[in-house]
Short mmCIF file of all heavy atoms in Angstrom, two decimals:
data_model
loop_
_atom_site.label_atom_id
_atom_site.label_comp_id
_atom_site.label_asym_id
_atom_site.label_seq_id
_atom_site.Cartn_x
_atom_site.Cartn_y
_atom_site.Cartn_z
N GLY P 278 -37.95 -19.25 57.36
CA GLY P 278 -38.77 -19.50 56.16
C GLY P 278 -38.72 -18.36 55.15
O GLY P 278 -38.70 -18.71 53.98
N ILE P 279 -38.63 -17.28 55.69
CA ILE P 279 -38.50 -16.05 54.82
C ILE P 279 -37.10 -16.01 54.14
O ILE P 279 -36.96 -15.95 52.90
CB ILE P 279 -38.73 -14.85 55.46
CG1 ILE P 279 -40.25 -14.70 56.00
CG2 ILE P 279 -38.48 -13.54 54.60
CD1 ILE P 279 -40.60 -13.51 56.85
N TYR P 280 -36.14 -16.06 54.97
CA TYR P 280 -34.73 -15.78 54.45
C TYR P 280 -34.15 -17.12 53.94
O TYR P 280 -32.95 -17.19 53.50
CB TYR P 280 -33.91 -15.33 55.65
CG TYR P 280 -34.21 -13.86 55.95
CD1 TYR P 280 -34.64 -13.50 57.25
CD2 TYR P 280 -34.13 -12.91 55.05
CE1 TYR P 280 -35.06 -12.26 57.63
CE2 TYR P 280 -34.63 -11.67 55.25
CZ TYR P 280 -34.98 -11.27 56.45
OH TYR P 280 -35.35 -10.06 56.79
N ARG P 281 -34.92 -18.18 53.80
CA ARG P 281 -34.58 -19.36 52.99
C ARG P 281 -34.61 -18.89 51.49
O ARG P 281 -33.92 -19.52 50.69
CB ARG P 281 -35.40 -20.47 53.25
CG ARG P 281 -35.06 -21.78 52.57
CD ARG P 281 -35.96 -22.89 52.82
NE ARG P 281 -35.95 -23.30 54.21
CZ ARG P 281 -36.98 -23.16 55.04
NH1 ARG P 281 -38.08 -22.85 54.55
NH2 ARG P 281 -36.89 -23.57 56.30
N HIS P 282 -35.42 -17.89 51.09
CA HIS P 282 -35.70 -17.53 49.79
C HIS P 282 -34.96 -16.13 49.47
O HIS P 282 -34.92 -15.79 48.24
CB HIS P 282 -37.16 -17.40 49.57
CG HIS P 282 -37.89 -18.77 49.81
ND1 HIS P 282 -38.09 -19.59 48.74
CD2 HIS P 282 -38.61 -19.10 50.83
CE1 HIS P 282 -38.80 -20.63 49.24
NE2 HIS P 282 -39.04 -20.32 50.42
N PHE P 283 -34.44 -15.45 50.46
CA PHE P 283 -33.94 -14.17 50.18
C PHE P 283 -32.66 -14.08 51.10
O PHE P 283 -32.68 -14.54 52.21
CB PHE P 283 -34.88 -13.06 50.60
CG PHE P 283 -36.11 -13.12 49.78
CD1 PHE P 283 -37.27 -13.83 50.29
CD2 PHE P 283 -36.24 -12.46 48.57
CE1 PHE P 283 -38.41 -13.90 49.52
CE2 PHE P 283 -37.43 -12.52 47.84
CZ PHE P 283 -38.53 -13.21 48.29
N ASP P 284 -31.66 -13.43 50.57
CA ASP P 284 -30.39 -13.29 51.23
C ASP P 284 -30.43 -12.28 52.23
O ASP P 284 -29.71 -12.34 53.22
CB ASP P 284 -29.26 -12.78 50.16
CG ASP P 284 -28.96 -13.94 49.14
OD1 ASP P 284 -29.15 -15.06 49.45
OD2 ASP P 284 -28.36 -13.50 48.05
N SER P 285 -31.37 -11.37 52.22
CA SER P 285 -31.48 -10.21 53.15
C SER P 285 -32.68 -9.46 53.08
O SER P 285 -33.47 -9.70 52.10
CB SER P 285 -30.28 -9.30 52.96
OG SER P 285 -30.45 -8.57 51.73
N LYS P 286 -33.04 -8.69 54.09
CA LYS P 286 -34.23 -7.82 53.92
C LYS P 286 -34.06 -6.83 52.84
O LYS P 286 -35.10 -6.50 52.22
CB LYS P 286 -34.37 -7.03 55.39
CG LYS P 286 -35.49 -6.05 55.37
CD LYS P 286 -35.55 -5.29 56.71
CE LYS P 286 -36.60 -4.26 56.81
NZ LYS P 286 -36.52 -3.39 58.03
N GLN P 287 -32.90 -6.49 52.52
CA GLN P 287 -32.60 -5.48 51.36
C GLN P 287 -33.02 -6.17 50.05
O GLN P 287 -33.72 -5.46 49.30
CB GLN P 287 -31.14 -5.21 51.33
CG GLN P 287 -30.85 -4.11 50.25
CD GLN P 287 -31.19 -2.78 50.48
OE1 GLN P 287 -30.82 -2.27 51.66
NE2 GLN P 287 -31.77 -2.05 49.68
N GLN P 288 -32.73 -7.38 49.95
CA GLN P 288 -33.18 -8.16 48.64
C GLN P 288 -34.62 -8.25 48.60
O GLN P 288 -35.29 -7.93 47.54
CB GLN P 288 -32.51 -9.38 48.53
CG GLN P 288 -32.84 -10.15 47.24
CD GLN P 288 -32.39 -11.64 47.22
OE1 GLN P 288 -32.05 -12.25 48.28
NE2 GLN P 288 -32.06 -12.13 46.04
N LEU P 289 -35.28 -8.57 49.72
CA LEU P 289 -36.70 -8.77 49.79
C LEU P 289 -37.39 -7.38 49.46
O LEU P 289 -38.38 -7.24 48.72
CB LEU P 289 -37.25 -9.37 51.06
CG LEU P 289 -38.72 -9.33 51.22
CD1 LEU P 289 -39.30 -10.18 50.16
CD2 LEU P 289 -39.08 -9.92 52.60
N ALA P 290 -36.97 -6.24 50.00
CA ALA P 290 -37.36 -4.92 49.81
C ALA P 290 -37.34 -4.49 48.44
O ALA P 290 -38.27 -4.00 47.81
CB ALA P 290 -36.77 -3.87 50.65
N GLY P 291 -36.18 -4.88 47.78
CA GLY P 291 -35.97 -4.52 46.29
C GLY P 291 -36.94 -5.19 45.50
O GLY P 291 -37.52 -4.62 44.53
N GLU P 292 -37.22 -6.42 45.77
CA GLU P 292 -38.04 -7.29 44.87
C GLU P 292 -39.49 -6.90 45.14
O GLU P 292 -40.28 -7.01 44.20
CB GLU P 292 -37.76 -8.82 44.99
CG GLU P 292 -36.30 -9.17 44.61
CD GLU P 292 -36.23 -10.60 44.20
OE1 GLU P 292 -37.17 -11.22 43.79
OE2 GLU P 292 -35.08 -11.08 44.51
N ALA P 293 -39.86 -6.55 46.36
CA ALA P 293 -41.13 -6.12 46.73
C ALA P 293 -41.46 -4.77 45.89
O ALA P 293 -42.55 -4.57 45.47
CB ALA P 293 -41.26 -5.86 48.20
N PHE P 294 -40.46 -3.89 45.79
CA PHE P 294 -40.66 -2.70 45.01
C PHE P 294 -40.89 -3.00 43.57
O PHE P 294 -41.75 -2.48 42.97
CB PHE P 294 -39.45 -1.73 45.24
CG PHE P 294 -39.41 -0.63 44.25
CD1 PHE P 294 -40.24 0.46 44.56
CD2 PHE P 294 -38.72 -0.63 43.22
CE1 PHE P 294 -40.42 1.54 43.51
CE2 PHE P 294 -38.76 0.37 42.24
CZ PHE P 294 -39.58 1.49 42.43
N ASP P 295 -39.98 -3.85 43.10
CA ASP P 295 -40.21 -4.30 41.73
C ASP P 295 -41.56 -4.87 41.41
O ASP P 295 -42.26 -4.47 40.33
CB ASP P 295 -39.25 -5.42 41.20
CG ASP P 295 -37.82 -4.89 41.15
OD1 ASP P 295 -37.53 -3.67 41.15
OD2 ASP P 295 -36.82 -5.68 41.34
N TYR P 296 -42.06 -5.61 42.30
CA TYR P 296 -43.44 -6.14 42.12
C TYR P 296 -44.56 -5.06 42.15
O TYR P 296 -45.46 -4.97 41.28
CB TYR P 296 -43.78 -7.15 43.26
CG TYR P 296 -45.18 -7.65 43.32
CD1 TYR P 296 -45.77 -8.59 42.64
CD2 TYR P 296 -46.09 -6.92 44.25
CE1 TYR P 296 -47.02 -8.96 42.64
CE2 TYR P 296 -47.37 -7.36 44.34
CZ TYR P 296 -47.84 -8.37 43.48
OH TYR P 296 -49.16 -8.72 43.70
N ALA P 297 -44.47 -4.18 43.08
CA ALA P 297 -45.36 -3.10 43.24
C ALA P 297 -45.33 -2.09 42.11
O ALA P 297 -46.36 -1.55 41.50
CB ALA P 297 -45.11 -2.35 44.53
N TRP P 298 -44.13 -1.81 41.68
CA TRP P 298 -43.88 -0.95 40.45
C TRP P 298 -44.41 -1.54 39.15
O TRP P 298 -45.06 -0.76 38.32
CB TRP P 298 -42.44 -0.52 40.37
CG TRP P 298 -42.20 0.40 39.17
CD1 TRP P 298 -41.45 0.21 38.00
CD2 TRP P 298 -42.86 1.71 38.96
NE1 TRP P 298 -41.62 1.24 37.24
CE2 TRP P 298 -42.37 2.05 37.73
CE3 TRP P 298 -43.71 2.46 39.68
CZ2 TRP P 298 -42.70 3.34 37.17
CZ3 TRP P 298 -44.01 3.76 39.28
CH2 TRP P 298 -43.48 4.19 37.96
N LYS P 299 -44.22 -2.82 38.99
CA LYS P 299 -44.73 -3.35 37.66
C LYS P 299 -46.27 -3.30 37.67
O LYS P 299 -46.81 -3.00 36.64
CB LYS P 299 -44.31 -4.82 37.60
CG LYS P 299 -44.67 -5.50 36.34
CD LYS P 299 -44.24 -6.93 36.14
CE LYS P 299 -44.53 -7.40 34.81
NZ LYS P 299 -45.92 -7.35 34.31
N LEU P 300 -46.85 -3.55 38.84
CA LEU P 300 -48.37 -3.52 38.90
C LEU P 300 -48.80 -2.00 38.55
O LEU P 300 -49.74 -1.80 37.84
CB LEU P 300 -48.86 -3.99 40.29
CG LEU P 300 -50.37 -3.91 40.48
CD1 LEU P 300 -51.00 -4.91 39.48
CD2 LEU P 300 -50.66 -4.39 41.89
N ALA P 301 -48.10 -1.07 39.18
CA ALA P 301 -48.53 0.30 39.04
C ALA P 301 -48.30 0.72 37.52
O ALA P 301 -49.19 1.32 36.94
CB ALA P 301 -47.64 1.26 39.89
N ILE P 302 -47.14 0.36 36.97
CA ILE P 302 -46.91 0.97 35.48
C ILE P 302 -47.72 0.22 34.60
O ILE P 302 -48.21 0.84 33.62
CB ILE P 302 -45.39 0.79 35.17
CG1 ILE P 302 -44.94 1.84 34.15
CG2 ILE P 302 -45.04 -0.59 34.84
CD1 ILE P 302 -44.94 3.24 34.61
N ASP P 303 -48.03 -1.02 34.76
CA ASP P 303 -48.97 -1.76 33.86
C ASP P 303 -50.36 -1.20 33.96
O ASP P 303 -51.03 -1.04 32.87
CB ASP P 303 -48.89 -3.36 34.16
CG ASP P 303 -47.66 -3.95 33.84
OD1 ASP P 303 -46.86 -3.37 33.15
OD2 ASP P 303 -47.47 -5.17 34.19
N THR P 304 -50.82 -0.88 35.07
CA THR P 304 -52.18 -0.40 35.32
C THR P 304 -52.25 1.03 34.57
O THR P 304 -53.20 1.36 34.05
CB THR P 304 -52.50 -0.25 36.82
OG1 THR P 304 -52.46 -1.52 37.39
CG2 THR P 304 -53.77 0.45 37.02
N ARG P 305 -51.21 1.81 34.78
CA ARG P 305 -51.27 3.19 34.24
C ARG P 305 -51.21 3.24 32.75
O ARG P 305 -51.79 4.17 32.12
CB ARG P 305 -50.16 4.05 34.85
CG ARG P 305 -50.29 4.33 36.31
CD ARG P 305 -49.08 4.81 36.97
NE ARG P 305 -49.27 4.92 38.38
CZ ARG P 305 -48.28 5.47 39.28
NH1 ARG P 305 -47.10 5.53 38.83
NH2 ARG P 305 -48.61 5.56 40.59
N PHE P 306 -50.58 2.34 32.14
CA PHE P 306 -50.56 2.27 30.68
C PHE P 306 -51.60 1.44 30.09
O PHE P 306 -51.62 1.32 28.87
CB PHE P 306 -49.07 1.78 30.21
CG PHE P 306 -48.03 2.92 30.28
CD1 PHE P 306 -47.11 2.98 31.16
CD2 PHE P 306 -48.03 3.81 29.15
CE1 PHE P 306 -46.15 3.98 31.32
CE2 PHE P 306 -47.03 4.83 29.20
CZ PHE P 306 -46.21 4.93 30.22
N GLU P 307 -52.41 0.82 30.78
CA GLU P 307 -53.32 -0.21 30.36
C GLU P 307 -54.36 0.54 29.36
O GLU P 307 -54.84 1.55 29.64
CB GLU P 307 -54.17 -0.66 31.52
CG GLU P 307 -55.17 -1.77 31.14
CD GLU P 307 -55.81 -2.44 32.35
OE1 GLU P 307 -55.57 -2.16 33.43
OE2 GLU P 307 -56.76 -3.24 32.08
N GLY P 308 -54.45 -0.12 28.19
CA GLY P 308 -55.27 0.37 27.16
C GLY P 308 -54.64 1.34 26.19
O GLY P 308 -55.22 1.65 25.16
N THR P 309 -53.53 1.96 26.59
CA THR P 309 -52.91 2.98 25.74
C THR P 309 -52.45 2.41 24.42
O THR P 309 -52.41 3.16 23.37
CB THR P 309 -51.80 3.75 26.47
OG1 THR P 309 -50.80 2.80 26.92
CG2 THR P 309 -52.28 4.40 27.79
N GLN P 310 -51.97 1.10 24.40
CA GLN P 310 -51.58 0.46 23.29
C GLN P 310 -52.63 0.37 22.18
O GLN P 310 -52.31 0.16 21.08
CB GLN P 310 -50.89 -0.83 23.57
CG GLN P 310 -51.92 -1.89 23.91
CD GLN P 310 -52.20 -1.85 25.43
OE1 GLN P 310 -51.80 -0.94 26.20
NE2 GLN P 310 -52.95 -2.80 25.96
N ASP P 311 -53.96 0.44 22.50
CA ASP P 311 -54.96 0.29 21.60
C ASP P 311 -55.46 1.59 21.03
O ASP P 311 -56.32 1.54 20.07
CB ASP P 311 -56.26 -0.30 22.41
CG ASP P 311 -55.90 -1.75 22.90
OD1 ASP P 311 -55.10 -2.45 22.31
OD2 ASP P 311 -56.41 -2.02 24.10
N ILE P 312 -54.77 2.69 21.36
CA ILE P 312 -55.23 4.01 20.81
C ILE P 312 -54.10 4.52 19.92
O ILE P 312 -52.99 4.60 20.25
CB ILE P 312 -55.36 5.02 22.07
CG1 ILE P 312 -56.46 4.63 22.95
CG2 ILE P 312 -55.52 6.44 21.44
CD1 ILE P 312 -56.66 5.44 24.19
N PRO P 313 -54.55 4.72 18.56
CA PRO P 313 -53.45 5.10 17.63
C PRO P 313 -52.85 6.54 17.79
O PRO P 313 -51.85 6.76 17.40
CB PRO P 313 -54.24 5.04 16.38
CG PRO P 313 -55.70 5.16 16.67
CD PRO P 313 -55.80 4.59 18.05
#
């Protein structure tokens, strides 16, 4: 069921990192765009 959606553990790990990193970077920059 897992590998029906991913070619390998490596691919899943990479996309899991992308997900975690996007959440981290969006949280860290939150509100900064509103400050001149």
Side-chain angles (χ1 to χ4, degrees):
I279 294 174
Y280 289 121
R281 184 178 300 121
H282 299 276
F283 302 92
D284 294 336
S285 63
K286 179 183 177 183
Q287 181 77 49
Q288 184 186 25
L289 175 55
E292 298 201 31
F294 170 77
D295 290 340
Y296 168 84
W298 176 243
K299 185 179 187 309
L300 181 60
I302 204 71
D303 287 351
T304 299
R305 291 167 182 175
F306 278 100
E307 187 173 352
T309 59
Q310 67 277 4
D311 301 322
I312 298 177

